[in-house]
Amino acid sequence: MTIDLGFAWLRLPGGDEVGIVDVPGHQDFIRNMLAGVGPVDAVLLVVALDEGVMPQTREHLAILGVLGVDRGVVALTKRDLVDDEWASLARADVATALGGTPLAGAPMVEVSATAKTGLADLVERLESVLRTAPARRDLGRPRLAIDRAFTLTGFGTVVTGTLVDGAFAVGEEIEILPTAQRARIRGIQTHKRALESASPGSRVALNLTGVEKDELERGMVIVRPGTLAPVSVISARIEVLRSASDSLAHDEAVKVHVGTAEVMARVSLLEAATIEPGASSWVQLRLATPLAVAVGDRFVIRRPSPPETLGGGAVADISGERMKRRREAVAVLERRTAPTAASRLLAALDAPRTIEDAGARSGLDAGERDLAARELVESGRAVPLADALVARESFEAFATRIERTLAAAHRRAPLRAGAPREEVRSSVDLPAKRFSAMVERLARDGRIAERGSALALAAHMPTLTAEQETAWSRARTALGREPLQPPSPATLESEYGLDRELVAALAERGDLVRIGTEAVFLPDAVVRFAEAVVSELVATGTITVARARDLTGSSRKHVLPLLSFLDDRGLTRRSGDDRVLVMPPEQARERVATLVARKKVAQ
Ligand SMILES: Nc1nc2c(ncn2[C@@H]2O[C@H](COP(=O)(O)OP(=O)(O)OP(=O)(O)O)[C@@H](O)[C@H]2O)c(=O)[nH]1
Ligand SMILES: [Mg+2]
């Protein structure tokens, strides 16, 4: 009697090699059977004709259904021990038992191992069934669930398993989960032949350096470092088998079999209080020890005692979040398992994530993922934010939060240009790069505006109280008296009540132009000064500080910052003690006209 897994391979008549995992049939060893049956392309179900359908035959068929193994061949063995009539009765029995299972209608071949009859036919059927199996996907994220770990004299540590989702090559560093230990691949064998690399779907023996046999066991998973992380909470839709002896209750303890691992878990039912036999429901499984699983992995749940297969499902979410609000949780999970790749990816973009991260969460391969991402961005259902993508809905939530923060800041400080950028960023808690992309987009859409180092709602204008307006109107009269020899900011504050903040607000509104730290002018005065300087430069080519002062009726104290201002605006530049024009006259005149209108943005 087979107790544990056995491994062999076979060359098919067409030349292909097929790896074979022999699993125990007896009910006492179902847990070992489960460790071997997961990642297969097809199954060879063996029923002895002299015994017919046994209880374990039904349990095995149910497990195949749960795991989604939906192609195979049935070998009816010991044909030599029964007569024709018995054989045809048994055969009919088996056909009935297959009804409603993934092997319904599968080819059945009568064989005798002792008389060696039917064997060639069996292999041929197996070959044609395998031809219908879909190609193994390569997600560039290889995983190997360990089914055996041992030491081999002259080699050291060896593990075996079925490689899925990617390829491994000799020399590669690997990570062992859940322990997160690192090791290196020293050698690879498939069917006892040494290879440089192994491809997804093959039975593989890895010779590892940097790890001892004692540190490895069945159930652990070998991955490329950093590509998968163990989780303690997984969400899934579980189906309880119609044949289950009882319903599954909330908080019940079950055994979860996934890959080659087996762990205890508690079931949180997210919908009803129980799942009746034949029914299904969204659940969260709280695992006793963390498991390295990926979205889409099929698993089986069993009741520990008396041992019984209850059902299972496919992993829908591995974010590890405990979902408390059940109805919402179910809606999220429904979306994460939606039929199209685009809607699954979208469901994983509830927060800004890199496309790799979102793809892994939705169980998509690189091709599907990239196609879906393009579709989502083109249709506007997702928005790019620097290195990440985010669903439109979540983007809107961020945008609303930013707008609220700004509105509150404007209410608190109506005179201010806006709220400090960092303060706004902390209100949404986005990394700097993504926040900048967010701001850029909202600014482009005309929702918010960048005002120097501050952010504001696009429509925000600093607003003055009635007293401030009165103070401003008195100050303006004073500034207009000798526009190019205006009162200093200190005087404006002491005589007219224009403090720094009010001046900044007036500058923001475009009523004042601040030049340097020590001068404030009316916009018209700045334009007049610039016009005079430009005309002189067009006429004579250069201008001195003294000449500019005399021409405009200003003072040296004011002319110095005004000339620097023109330099800063790219209109003029210093040449010794003089200024010269740096652009053709026509262009200079145009620039003068926009000099203070542009002030508001540049500040
Ligand atoms: N006469 C006869 N005996 C067979 C035939 N096939 C297998 N046997 C015998 O039946 C017994 C059980 O065979 P196994 O191959 O161990 O059966 P199994 O399905 O692997 O059983 P488990 O591993 O316990 O699930 C052995 O003694 C075999 O020699 C056959 O076609 N004819
Ligand atoms: Mg056996």
Side-chain angles (χ1 to χ4, degrees), residues 402-471:
I402 289 175
E403 287 171 334
R404 288 220 182 104
T405 304
L406 293 178
H410 297 335
R411 260 198 314 278
R412 262 198 326 272
L415 266 186
R416 293 238 176 96
R421 231 181 136 88
E422 265 312 298
E423 184 184 312
V424 183
R425 185 167 86 85
S426 66
S427 77
V428 284
D429 199 22
L430 280 173
K433 247 189 341 185
R434 294 178 187 172
F435 179 70
S436 293
M438 179 101 203
V439 165
E440 212 171 278
R441 186 164 179 117
L442 291 175
R444 203 166 57 231
D445 293 347
R447 296 170 71 167
I448 69 171
E450 295 185 71
R451 305 256 162 91
S453 62
L455 295 175
L457 288 174
H460 171 69
M461 267 300 137
T463 44
L464 277 52
T465 61
E467 296 92 86
Q468 286 167 330
E469 288 289 0
T470 311

Side-chain angles (χ1 to χ4, degrees), residues 309-478:
T309 299
L310 281 176
V315 175
D317 178 71
I318 50 169
S319 60
E321 295 147 16
R322 290 279 292 274
M323 297 180 178
K324 290 264 162 54
R325 291 152 75 186
R326 297 183 176 190
R327 191 167 311 156
E328 221 169 85
V330 167
V332 167
L333 290 168
E334 295 279 2
R335 275 186 267 129
R336 289 208 178 143
T337 51
T340 69
S343 33
R344 281 214 299 285
L345 189 66
L346 190 64
L349 293 172
D350 52 340
R353 295 207 166 90
T354 63
I355 179 161
E356 291 79 17
D357 183 11
R361 281 167 184 261
S362 38
L364 299 174
D365 67 39
E368 288 177 305
R369 175 196 76 193
D370 293 347
L371 220 65
R374 198 165 329 130
E375 185 186 326
L376 290 175
V377 171
E378 274 167 13
S379 66
R381 284 189 289 160
V383 181
L385 282 186
D387 62 329
L389 264 187
V390 63
R392 161 70 60 182
E393 222 172 89
S394 310
F395 174 87
E396 277 308 321
F398 280 117
T400 307
R401 214 167 327 144
I402 289 175
E403 287 171 334
R404 288 220 182 104
T405 304
L406 293 178
H410 297 335
R411 260 198 314 278
R412 262 198 326 272
L415 266 186
R416 293 238 176 96
R421 231 181 136 88
E422 265 312 298
E423 184 184 312
V424 183
R425 185 167 86 85
S426 66
S427 77
V428 284
D429 199 22
L430 280 173
K433 247 189 341 185
R434 294 178 187 172
F435 179 70
S436 293
M438 179 101 203
V439 165
E440 212 171 278
R441 186 164 179 117
L442 291 175
R444 203 166 57 231
D445 293 347
R447 296 170 71 167
I448 69 171
E450 295 185 71
R451 305 256 162 91
S453 62
L455 295 175
L457 288 174
H460 171 69
M461 267 300 137
T463 44
L464 277 52
T465 61
E467 296 92 86
Q468 286 167 330
E469 288 289 0
T470 311
W472 161 233
S473 122
R474 286 181 52 232
R476 188 172 44 208
T477 311

Side-chain angles (χ1 to χ4, degrees), residues 267-282:
V267 186
S268 286
L269 299 182
L270 294 175
E271 292 175 284
T274 59
I275 314 177
E276 298 301 316
S280 63
S281 167
W282 285 106

Side-chain angles (χ1 to χ4, degrees), residues 166-234:
F168 271 140
V170 172
E172 216 177 309
E173 189 186 28
I174 54 97
E175 185 177 0
I176 300 147
L177 297 177
T179 57
Q181 202 181 348
R182 300 284 175 99
R184 199 167 286 282
I185 301 178
R186 190 168 131 198
I188 299 180
Q189 284 198 356
T190 288
H191 307 157
K192 298 237 159 93
R193 259 199 326 274
L195 298 172
E196 273 310 300
S197 73
S199 49
S202 47
R203 285 290 313 165
V204 172
L206 298 179
N207 180 199
L208 299 177
T209 55
V211 62
E212 297 300 316
K213 179 212 164 252
D214 297 348
E215 299 168 295
L216 299 165
E217 61 185 29
R218 176 176 290 177
M220 291 181 170
V221 180
I222 293 186
V223 299
R224 190 165 286 157
T227 55
L228 199 64
V231 290
S232 299
V233 178
I234 58 184

Side-chain angles (χ1 to χ4, degrees), residues 1-2 22-26 46 77-81 111-114:
M1 187 164 72
T2 307
D22 177 37
V23 303
H26 197 280
V46 180
T77 60
K78 305 194 184 176
R79 180 61 180 88
D80 55 293
L81 297 185
V111 299
S112 166
T114 46

Side-chain angles (χ1 to χ4, degrees), residues 25 27 30 45-48 51-64 74 94 97-98 101:
Q27 258 172 325
I30 292 255
L45 180 77
V46 180
V47 182
E51 288 177 299
V53 175
M54 303 285 280
Q56 65 261 34
T57 314
R58 298 187 197 281
E59 188 159 6
H60 286 186
L61 284 167
I63 287 169
L64 294 175
V74 181
V94 175
L98 295 179
T101 79

Side-chain angles (χ1 to χ4, degrees), residues 115-262:
K116 307 257 180 275
T117 56
L119 298 174
D121 188 20
L122 183 67
V123 170
E124 221 168 87
R125 296 298 186 124
L126 194 59
E127 185 170 35
S128 60
V129 162
L130 282 170
R131 262 199 293 270
T132 68
R136 285 306 188 126
R137 55 183 199 169
D138 187 343
L139 307 186
R141 191 193 58 195
R143 295 191 278 156
L144 181 130
I146 298 177
D147 47 42
R148 279 177 308 170
F150 49 89
T151 326
L152 214 59
T153 327
F155 286 93
T157 311
V158 175
V159 296
T160 67
T162 306
L163 181 60
V164 299
D165 290 355
F168 271 140
V170 172
E172 216 177 309
E173 189 186 28
I174 54 97
E175 185 177 0
I176 300 147
L177 297 177
T179 57
Q181 202 181 348
R182 300 284 175 99
R184 199 167 286 282
I185 301 178
R186 190 168 131 198
I188 299 180
Q189 284 198 356
T190 288
H191 307 157
K192 298 237 159 93
R193 259 199 326 274
L195 298 172
E196 273 310 300
S197 73
S199 49
S202 47
R203 285 290 313 165
V204 172
L206 298 179
N207 180 199
L208 299 177
T209 55
V211 62
E212 297 300 316
K213 179 212 164 252
D214 297 348
E215 299 168 295
L216 299 165
E217 61 185 29
R218 176 176 290 177
M220 291 181 170
V221 180
I222 293 186
V223 299
R224 190 165 286 157
T227 55
L228 199 64
V231 290
S232 299
V233 178
I234 58 184
S235 306
R237 193 175 177 84
I238 276 188
E239 189 170 343
V240 172
L241 294 171
R242 201 177 298 279
S243 58
S245 64
D246 195 4
S247 56
L248 178 65
H250 182 64
D251 218 32
E252 191 171 332
V254 296
K255 273 193 174 165
V256 177
H257 298 260
V258 58
T260 56
E262 171 189 345

